Amino acid sequence: MLNTTVNAATHDMEEGKVALVTGVGRAIGLGFAVARELATCGHTVILTGQDLSRTQHLADRLAAEGLSVCAVRLDVTDPATIAECVEFVRTSFGYLDVLVNNAAGGFDIDQSLLTADMARAHVAMDVNFFGPWHTCAAFASLLRQSSHGRIVNISSAAGSLTDGLTSPEIGDLMPGYSLSKSALNALTVKLANAFAGTSVLVNAVCPGETATHPETGDEQNARSPEESAKGVVWAATLGSDGPTGSFFRDGVRLPW
């Protein structure tokens, strides 16, 4: 049985655009900031995450602000929860306008390529690459039901073949994470081809260095999740003549 709770909202949930954001589990996370921004723009937003109690708490906060939201359990590495979430969206709305693949894992800055723990590398690939691939495939029919289908893959410049992977600052560090983001970028191009001829636009977005993990001290140099979310929402709300199969940060194209 699907484990979900739907919050009352200020307008009927079947009116307007419907967006789904994966990996929403922390109030200081990028996913929560993206969900709030999309809901503020008028979308009904489905917040999803591995731990429904945490995601539900965040959805309750947005509902208290008068925003149209609901919470559903979705683990992008668990096919059963993906299928259940698809069924929830199908029966509740019948279509999906925006899919933001935000769930991420395997940030292995402490590893180097030739001595890496392959189990950790597999985690990075499962969450950052296979998870979005499976999720996009599962929601494909619902995205095609929209006249404004948008897929946004949250990527990283660390995976850029002409930037991050050749950066002397990164070198051979962070192998699982950076290579998984390279694979996600490649998936973005393949997805754009798969949806060619439809209204679905698919792009990757690097949010930039974002202060989402204060325990690592990243808040000292990074920008806020709210600031980084704007570039994600830009890609999620592109017009029908917008780009597809490209890589951006803050609306500016990045090299693959």
Side-chain angles (χ1 to χ4, degrees), residues 86-121:
V86 168
E87 186 59 25
F88 169 77
V89 177
R90 189 186 313 280
T91 57
S92 299
F93 306 103
Y95 61 94
L96 182 65
D97 297 292
V98 176
L99 172 61
V100 179
N101 286 307
N102 169 73
F107 190 72
D108 55 347
I109 188 64
D110 59 319
Q111 294 205 103
S112 58
L113 183 71
L114 299 181
T115 58
D117 178 346
M118 290 299 168
R120 293 177 63 186

Side-chain angles (χ1 to χ4, degrees), residues 188-248:
T188 300
V189 176
K190 297 290 281 186
L191 285 168
N193 290 332
F195 284 105
T198 74
S199 67
V200 182
L201 304 181
V202 188
N203 291 289
V205 169
C206 171
E209 188 176 0
T210 307
T212 56
H213 290 280
E215 69 277 7
T216 66
D218 66 358
E219 77 280 2
Q220 296 176 4
N221 302 311
R223 59 187 183 178
S224 70
E226 290 73 23
E227 184 177 357
S228 293
K230 295 184 183 301
V232 179
V233 173
W234 169 84
T237 56
L238 286 169
S240 58
D241 59 346
T244 189
S246 295
F247 188 22
F248 297 94

Side-chain angles (χ1 to χ4, degrees), residues 148-171:
H148 181 87
R150 304 291 180 266
I151 296 174
V152 184
N153 293 325
I154 306 301
S155 187
S156 171
S160 170
L161 298 177
T162 56
D163 186 6
L165 293 186
T166 60
S167 167
E169 294 181 359
I170 297 177

Side-chain angles (χ1 to χ4, degrees), residues 23-201:
V24 183
R26 297 180 305 125
I28 60 171
L30 178 63
F32 183 60
V34 169
R36 171 179 271 138
E37 184 73 15
L38 284 171
T40 300
C41 291
H43 291 68
T44 291
V45 181
I46 306 163
L47 284 69
T48 73
Q50 290 179 304
D51 185 337
L52 181 59
S53 63
R54 293 170 62 180
T55 304
Q56 183 65 60
H57 174 71
L58 296 174
D60 290 342
R61 287 180 54 173
L62 297 183
E65 299 174 16
L67 299 174
S68 180
V69 299
C70 64
V72 178
R73 181 169 182 263
L74 171 60
D75 178 347
V76 299
T77 67
D78 181 355
T81 68
I82 294 174
E84 289 177 346
C85 190
V86 168
E87 186 59 25
F88 169 77
V89 177
R90 189 186 313 280
T91 57
S92 299
F93 306 103
Y95 61 94
L96 182 65
D97 297 292
V98 176
L99 172 61
V100 179
N101 286 307
N102 169 73
F107 190 72
D108 55 347
I109 188 64
D110 59 319
Q111 294 205 103
S112 58
L113 183 71
L114 299 181
T115 58
D117 178 346
M118 290 299 168
R120 293 177 63 186
H122 277 283
V123 169
M125 291 299 292
D126 285 344
V127 177
N128 302 335
F129 172 61
F130 287 110
W133 184 357
H134 191 167
T135 303
C136 287
F139 280 101
S141 63
L142 290 172
L143 287 161
R144 289 192 179 104
Q145 291 298 315
S146 168
S147 60
H148 181 87
R150 304 291 180 266
I151 296 174
V152 184
N153 293 325
I154 306 301
S155 187
S156 171
S160 170
L161 298 177
T162 56
D163 186 6
L165 293 186
T166 60
S167 167
E169 294 181 359
I170 297 177
D172 70 339
L173 299 177
M174 204 163 54
Y177 182 82
S178 60
L179 291 172
S180 70
K181 292 300 187 178
S182 298
L184 180 63
N185 285 350
L187 175 65
T188 300
V189 176
K190 297 290 281 186
L191 285 168
N193 290 332
F195 284 105
T198 74
S199 67
V200 182
L201 304 181

